[in-house]
Amino acid sequence: MRNIKLIIEYDGKKFGGWQKQPQKLNIQGEIEKAIEEITGEKVDLIASGRTDAGVHSLGQTANFKTESKIDIEKMAFAINSKLKQSIRIIKAEEVDATFHSRYSCKGKKYRYIINNSKYGSAIYRNLEYHMPIKLDVENMKKAIKYFEGEHDFKGFKASGTSSKSSVRTIYSAKIELKEERIIIELEGNGFLYNMVRIIAGTIVDVGLGKIKPDEIPEIISSKDRTKAGKTLPPQGLYLVNVYY
Amino acid sequence: MRNIKLIIEYDGKKFGGWQKQPQKLNIQGEIEKAIEEITGEKVDLIASGRTDAGVHSLGQTANFKTESKIDIEKMAFAINSKLKQSIRIIKAEEVDATFHSRYSCKGKKYRYIINNSKYGSAIYRNLEYHMPIKLDVENMKKAIKYFEGEHDFKGFKASGTSSKSSVRTIYSAKIELKEERIIIELEGNGFLYNMVRIIAGTIVDVGLGKIKPDEIPEIISSKDRTKAGKTLPPQGLYLVNVYY
């Protein structure tokens, strides 16, 4: 049995998310169908984690087991030939039998793009979040630093979701300003459901002056979802990289 | 009568081009409709020139005359409120009665984006042209320089189009490489129908080794459309700026 690791770019707009689900177009289902078309096998495609409806990926990672003899050099090309243009396998490689996209994952990098121009962008409207009110980027840069390190992010996950522990470590949290776009980047050992979008929403509240940068540690330690900012919409969010 | 100048961004994908035409969604018609909704007047919106079906704009310029008293500070916001998200007025200003978007135009800047990665991009698929064969960018950079200056571009326009003269001056022609993207930028006093897309196609032929950089002057002076490269598709083309 070969174990194939894929790196996958997708435009989240028209999908109900990564996970296979009836009635809704989903990325996992589309790729499994494409793999079946080229190998004749029904495979189980395991991702590093789910992404929600509308969220984009530049580097989602997934793996599947196969008996197929297709040359690894031709694998990405063959799968892509059966896929919609809104999903692209950007790399395929053969890995050790023990490799598991979720369990082997050491960390992830996410990006959230905010367009802070007055009227937003016609061209990139589905690839960013538009905030027409001018944000205080210097304060946002101060605030984001408080998220670095190990914290219990209980207040920064969607309510009603259960996971054993809500303690996560953020290795790097930074903000870059590119003309009228504010780009938030977070690298960490793992992220809770909606965590990046809630952190981004909290940082926007700092930019709006609703929260002071030095109030962040208190908001984190309160573990109270209502103290953090709102969940920003999915079209600004990108899964950039998965680390192994 | 006030004369209002608009700068307009649009995503060309779903439009049959700038120009008003029955049966096809077009940018001019959409904006004229929006202006009518806010002013109650049927206006004639004059652009710097047409853009084709699928071509994008970051800085198309157009003007219209109106008796409306709407504050110029609120004009862009008001028109945008009646427009699809794929069209955004990014600036509105009041100009002299003599200003005419087409006749007053002194020059334009166009950009053509080529994605030269193996599998193309899922996210930016409608915003660039994908060329999977590795191009020789150094030769493309040499070739593009031959387009600078005043030339008769008769061989670089769509056949069947008539314009009095096909002599145009290109002030600046350059190529930039950004990771796997090759970005062609042309600034000139005017461009013939399909001229940028044919120049881009010719430059791609240089990148493929079909044309040598020093053959470009001969191809230009032949004035023969069949000697130039093919017309590249519209989704890679952006009208960046219009100069007055």
Side-chain angles (χ1 to χ4, degrees), chain B residues 86-114:
Chain B
S86 51
I87 307 176
R88 286 293 94 179
I89 309 300
I90 53 177
K91 196 176 176 188
E93 59 177 323
E94 205 157 340
V95 287
D96 201 83
T98 60
F99 177 84
H100 186 285
S101 297
R102 189 161 77 253
Y103 302 147
S104 310
C105 171
K106 296 260 195 305
K108 287 181 185 177
K109 180 179 180 172
Y110 277 98
R111 182 178 297 153
Y112 198 92
I113 305 181
I114 300 162

Side-chain angles (χ1 to χ4, degrees), chain A residues 7-25:
Chain A
I7 298 180
I8 309 153
E9 180 182 331
Y10 47 84
D11 177 348
K13 181 170 163 52
K14 290 184 179 157
F15 296 99
W18 168 268
Q19 204 188 16
K20 218 158 40 168
Q21 49 188 320
Q23 320 294 353
K24 271 191 187 159
L25 198 64

Side-chain angles (χ1 to χ4, degrees), chain A residues 68-81:
Chain A
S68 156
K69 302 264 186 298
I70 297 173
D71 184 348
I72 191 69
E73 296 300 321
K74 296 191 176 122
M75 187 75 81
F77 185 82
I79 303 174
N80 281 332
S81 73

Side-chain angles (χ1 to χ4, degrees), chain B residues 206-233:
Chain B
V206 171
L208 290 168
K210 290 188 198 172
I211 294 174
K212 290 195 194 93
D214 62 9
E215 287 170 9
I216 296 291
E218 199 182 307
I219 292 170
I220 297 174
S221 62
S222 76
K223 299 175 200 172
D224 180 353
R225 175 68 192 90
T226 66
K227 296 258 199 299
K230 65 174 181 174
T231 307
L232 294 192

Side-chain angles (χ1 to χ4, degrees), chain B residues 8 16 29 36 66 70 83 123 134 143 145 148 161 187 220:
Chain B
I8 310 153
E36 188 178 349
T66 180
I70 297 173
L83 282 173
I123 295 175
K134 203 80 203 145
K145 285 295 157 197
E148 290 184 344
T161 57
E187 282 183 89
I220 297 174

Side-chain angles (χ1 to χ4, degrees), chain B residues 134-171:
Chain B
K134 203 80 203 145
L135 298 173
D136 182 334
V137 180
E138 286 316 305
N139 272 346
M140 293 167 80
K141 282 184 177 175
K142 282 178 205 156
I144 197 82
K145 285 295 157 197
Y146 290 109
F147 286 95
E148 290 184 344
E150 188 184 87
H151 302 282
D152 185 340
F153 286 101
K154 204 178 165 203
F156 290 83
K157 62 172 190 170
S159 55
T161 57
S162 66
S163 37
K164 279 171 210 146
S165 162
S166 47
V167 175
R168 295 291 184 277
T169 300
I170 293 186
Y171 305 130

Side-chain angles (χ1 to χ4, degrees), chain B residues 35-53:
Chain B
I35 295 171
E36 188 178 349
E37 282 186 63
I38 63 153
T39 64
E41 298 170 11
K42 279 196 188 298
V43 303
D44 192 16
L45 187 65
I46 301 158
S48 68
R50 304 171 193 175
T51 54
D52 272 347

